[in-house]
Amino acid sequence: MVLLRLVILISSYSGSVITKLECTNCGKEFSHKEINTLCDACGKVLYARYDLEKAKETISKQSIQLRKVYNIWRWNEIMPVIDPTYRITLGEGWAPIIETNNFGKKIGLNNLYIKDEGQNPTGTFKSRGLCAAVAKALELGEKEYVLPSAGNAGAALAAYSSHGGAKAHIFVPVDTPEFIKKEIEAMGAELTLVEGLISDAGAKAKAAGEKHGWFSMSTLKEPYRVEGKKTMGLELAEQFNWELPEVIIYPTGGGTGIVGMWKAFDEMEQMGLIDSKRPKMIAVQPSGCQPMVRAFHQGDKFAKLWENAKSFAAGIRVPGAIGDYLILNALRESNGTAIAVDDTEIKDAMFDFAKKEGIMVAPEAAATIAAAIKLTESGFIDKSDKTVLFITGSGLTTPDDW
Ligand SMILES: *Cc1c(COP(=O)(O)O)cnc(C)c1O
Ligand SMILES: [Zn+2]
């Protein structure tokens, strides 16, 4: 009997139950069977929707835990790719949760954990989103892509494009770390250097993409990167035995990571895997570029563009985000907050953490450590709160002149 039940559980890995795309702002529906970007009625972000009642037939706490798939397709029912031949993978996802009590004790937190996304292919969590996006684009017949990037997304797109037999054109600011530039070119993508910031790279990428008919992989304008990123939230629940932590601190640029996890929590609740309790979602941005922090504390629904953005944490040096209202909603609905940290605080946190825990993290990730210190001091985080820092990238992606 036990054996029979095991066989049923293991074999109950079934296909995607995606039903449509839906505008997160006005509710207009779109087909997932053709290319869609932003809502053509209101210009806002589209989300993939699934038949979660159907997903529940094969997704349960037990069935998920028995799956031998340790990549983003572990939860394939609530992922967008229908034909399994397009589910490409480089082993992204299943990043470990690591207890960091040496450092936790030092800063006064008794339950401090990291999710170490630096262990992903190309060294950042960006691989999750671009794996999903490239897989879906291939399924829809698109084989040539364009992307503006601060570097890490570009490296991930280059990797999955080559792996999937497609071509990527990537536009990055000139001050992107040398190693990342080399990595992008080594993996077969065409690299264009742009004077200025990610927003300037965005304008150049858009023009080139329209001219040549390349498919844009810009986050949230492309509706499926967020599906890859939501797997961070799915894994988190499973890794914490279906009890989400009290606090999540996330280094926020475009915000796809935060909104992706927020979406994942809702989907899991609807499938009966978790209850309605949510972690306090905390966005951290650099002092030199903090549009979400400003909007959050001013009570704005949307964030104004940040002028003269500066920070050595390039992945969160993002002046404006198309999903601003989704980020702000998640922060507010979760009773979370938004906080800015200085580049000097980021650097200090990075070295301190490396010495105490033996993990060298990316500057963006170090911003979460600096934020944890400040929020513990201010009392926003209680010393007993189970707190998870999203270490979104490895220290290997750090700029050369730090
Ligand atoms: C892109 C990036 C971020 C920001 O992630 P979003 O989901 O776009 O907010 C954070 N950390 C690193 C290392 C990144 O590359
Ligand atoms: Zn709309």
Side-chain angles (χ1 to χ4, degrees):
M1 265 320 278
V2 171
L3 194 66
L4 185 64
R5 179 148 173 78
L6 268 179
V7 170
I8 291 169
L9 282 172
I10 290 168
S11 61
S12 67
Y13 182 76
S14 88
S16 171
V17 296
I18 186 168
T19 55
K20 64 184 173 195
L21 290 165
E22 184 181 55
C23 177
T24 51
N25 182 52
C26 76
K28 184 169 177 187
E29 297 184 359
F30 298 83
S31 170
H32 60 279
K33 292 183 183 144
E34 45 199 58
I35 296 290
N36 278 292
T37 55
L38 294 169
C39 176
D40 64 8
C42 75
K44 295 298 178 192
V45 173
L46 305 185
Y47 269 179
R49 298 297 182 199
Y50 300 88
D51 181 348
L52 296 174
E53 281 306 310
K54 179 134 179 50
K56 264 163 71 176
E57 291 170 10
T58 49
I59 290 182
S60 69
K61 294 177 188 177
Q62 296 86 338
S63 73
I64 287 289
Q65 275 162 339
L66 285 170
R67 289 182 181 177
K68 300 262 185 321
V69 182
Y70 296 103
N71 55 50
I72 62 161
W73 308 110
R74 186 173 179 82
W75 294 73
N76 115 84
E77 290 92 332
I78 53 167
M79 290 293 285
V81 174
I82 296 162
D83 180 344
T85 55
Y86 294 109
R87 276 181 223 140
I88 55 171
T89 181
L90 291 169
E92 63 297 317
W94 205 247
I97 299 281
I98 301 170
E99 259 188 69
T100 54
N101 283 337
N102 295 337
F103 192 81
K105 278 206 188 76
K106 184 180 151 148
I107 68 168
L109 284 179
N110 295 334
N111 288 300
L112 183 65
Y113 299 84
I114 63 165
K115 191 156 166 66
D116 190 6
E117 296 288 326
Q119 299 192 27
N120 272 298
T122 70
T124 73
F125 82 107
K126 289 290 196 307
S127 53
R128 295 177 185 265
L130 285 149
C131 179
V134 170
K136 189 65 191 177
L138 290 171
E139 185 171 63
L140 293 171
E142 294 289 339
K143 300 195 90 173
E144 196 157 1
Y145 317 130
V146 64
L147 179 71
S149 167
N152 292 332
L157 178 60
Y160 287 95
S161 299
S162 291
H163 195 70
K167 176 80 188 174
H169 304 271
I170 294 164
F171 292 71
V172 300
V174 274
D175 67 349
T176 299
E178 282 311 312
F179 171 73
I180 300 180
K181 291 182 201 158
K182 286 188 183 136
E183 188 187 10
I184 290 171
E185 288 194 305
M187 288 188 294
E190 185 199 24
L191 182 69
T192 305
L193 303 180
V194 179
E195 284 300 333
L197 297 170
I198 173 98
S199 33
D200 302 297
K204 286 266 172 9
K206 187 163 186 278
E210 281 167 4
K211 181 167 167 212
H212 299 285
W214 300 330
F215 179 69
S216 171
M217 286 286 182
S218 270
T219 203
L220 295 176
K221 291 182 186 153
E222 185 290 323
Y224 300 106
R225 273 176 72 176
V226 67
E227 295 302 293
K229 291 186 176 184
K230 88 179 176 189
T231 60
M232 291 190 290
L234 302 173
E235 282 171 24
L236 192 69
E238 184 182 352
Q239 287 170 312
F240 278 110
N241 210 14
W242 314 103
E243 280 261 351
L244 295 175
E246 267 104 27
V247 175
I248 286 177
I249 308 186
Y250 198 89
T252 303
T256 325
I258 279 207
V259 303
M261 283 194 279
W262 197 244
K263 182 174 192 282
F265 298 156
D266 273 351
E267 291 174 354
M268 281 191 287
E269 186 183 352
Q270 286 179 55
M271 291 188 291
L273 299 172
I274 59 169
D275 60 20
S276 61
K277 273 210 312 268
R278 293 288 182 275
K280 289 187 172 130
M281 305 296 282
I282 297 172
V284 52
Q285 295 197 302
S287 303
C289 180
Q290 43 167 318
M292 294 305 144
V293 181
R294 179 173 64 187
F296 179 83
H297 293 289
Q298 288 182 353
D300 297 341
K301 186 167 181 227
F302 301 100
K304 281 190 278 301
L305 216 63
W306 190 268
E307 306 286 338
N308 300 318
K310 280 194 191 62
S311 172
F312 89 123
I316 50 175
R317 190 184 58 186
V318 181
I322 182 102
D324 50 1
Y325 61 106
L326 298 169
I327 303 169
L328 293 164
N329 274 350
L331 303 181
R332 289 182 178 130
E333 282 174 24
S334 72
N335 295 313
T337 191
I339 184 173
V341 292
D342 298 337
D343 276 14
T344 51
E345 292 172 311
I346 295 178
K347 278 184 201 179
D348 289 349
M350 199 167 148
F351 287 115
D352 247 19
F353 189 80
K355 284 208 180 65
K356 281 266 179 292
E357 295 293 346
I359 303 166
M360 180 70 191
V361 310
E364 296 85 354
T368 67
I369 302 167
I373 296 171
K374 287 181 125 167
L375 292 168
T376 308
E377 279 169 8
S378 75
F380 188 89
I381 304 178
D382 189 81
K383 67 175 191 301
S384 65
D385 282 344
K386 192 179 272 184
T387 300
V388 178
L389 309 181
F390 270 79
I391 300 303
T392 44
S394 125
L396 300 178
T397 61
T398 303
D400 318 291
D401 55 352
W402 56 291

